[in-house]
Amino acid sequence: MLVYEQTSTLAQLEEILLLQQLNLPKNLTTEEKEQEGFLTVEHSLAFLKEMHHECPHTIAIDQGKVIGYALSMHPKFANSIEVLKPMFHEINKVVQNNCNYMVMGQICVSKEYRGKGVFRGLYKAMKEKLPKGFDTIITEVDAKNQRSLQAHEAVGFIELKRYRSEGKKWSLIILT
């Protein structure tokens, strides 16, 4: 049975990293990237643990195995990942002072579970378990990643803006 919960063990964080590895561009063909989407950031176990201690990540588990995840990235980590620094800079330009947001740092669903509502379930569970004082979720998607853009739109994200950083075009989006 599929369940959604927040990370609570080191083993779950390690399973997230295994799933992440399978979906990094360096491990995918061009066709897979176009059809299935891809991840941009590769995390270390130490940093994933740091993020978890601030706000546990949301995971989908089936038969005891992590088959999907949505990483919670507290704004205090704005300067921790080089490729994400511009995103936080852009967020600060467009977000009102009364918006207390959590960044969804990365979302991934195991290939065999795609198209079965897991993506939607991860965001629903993440939003329900936002820490007290947080009211929305913001993330960005590589504008070339059409599968991810469409999936985010389908669960209620709207685009705040598009911008360029390090030769890539990004779509900054917020869950409404």
Side-chain angles (χ1 to χ4, degrees):
M1 183 171 113
L2 190 63
V3 294
Y4 297 93
E5 61 185 55
Q6 289 185 301
T7 50
S8 60
T9 69
L10 181 61
Q12 290 170 335
L13 298 177
E14 290 169 339
E15 287 185 59
I16 287 171
L17 292 178
L18 289 173
L19 184 53
Q20 181 181 79
Q21 282 299 313
L22 295 174
N23 292 281
L24 291 169
K26 67 183 182 182
N27 298 321
L28 299 170
T29 65
T30 301
E31 184 177 302
E32 286 173 317
K33 287 185 273 191
E34 289 172 5
Q35 292 178 0
E36 299 292 330
F38 54 90
L39 303 176
T40 301
V41 177
E42 185 172 359
H43 296 83
S44 69
L45 181 58
F47 188 63
L48 211 56
K49 282 170 39 177
E50 259 188 85
M51 290 168 54
H52 160 84
H53 287 301
E54 192 62 39
C55 179
H57 308 296
T58 305
I59 52 177
I61 298 177
D62 189 27
Q63 299 177 15
K65 180 181 175 190
V66 174
I67 56 91
Y69 64 83
L71 302 182
S72 297
M73 186 173 213
H74 191 283
K76 82 177 224 172
F77 294 109
N79 293 312
S80 298
I81 297 178
E82 199 61 38
V83 73
L84 298 182
K85 287 179 183 180
M87 174 186 67
F88 283 99
H89 179 73
E90 296 297 328
I91 289 171
N92 290 335
K93 287 182 185 177
V94 296
V95 169
Q96 307 297 338
N97 290 339
N98 62 349
C99 178
N100 295 312
Y101 65 92
M102 179 67 66
V103 167
M104 190 291 299
Q106 184 176 79
I107 191 165
C108 184
V109 175
S110 185
K111 198 171 190 176
E112 54 274 10
Y113 287 86
R114 292 180 188 158
K116 298 180 179 176
V118 176
F119 184 89
R120 182 178 300 277
L122 284 165
Y123 269 121
K124 181 176 184 279
M126 183 180 183
K127 189 155 188 185
E128 288 171 356
K129 295 183 185 291
L130 282 174
K132 188 175 175 103
F134 288 83
D135 49 27
T136 194
I137 300 169
I138 296 177
T139 194
E140 71 177 358
V141 177
D142 184 321
K144 288 184 180 178
N145 196 339
Q146 288 300 307
R147 181 181 176 100
S148 184
L149 285 171
Q150 292 166 357
H152 281 87
E153 184 179 320
V155 298
F157 277 88
I158 59 168
E159 188 172 81
L160 291 170
K161 72 179 296 185
R162 288 212 174 190
Y163 70 96
R164 287 196 168 279
S165 174
E166 297 184 27
K168 288 186 177 185
K169 189 182 237 184
W170 296 95
S171 177
L172 186 66
I173 55 179
I174 188 168
L175 186 59
T176 56

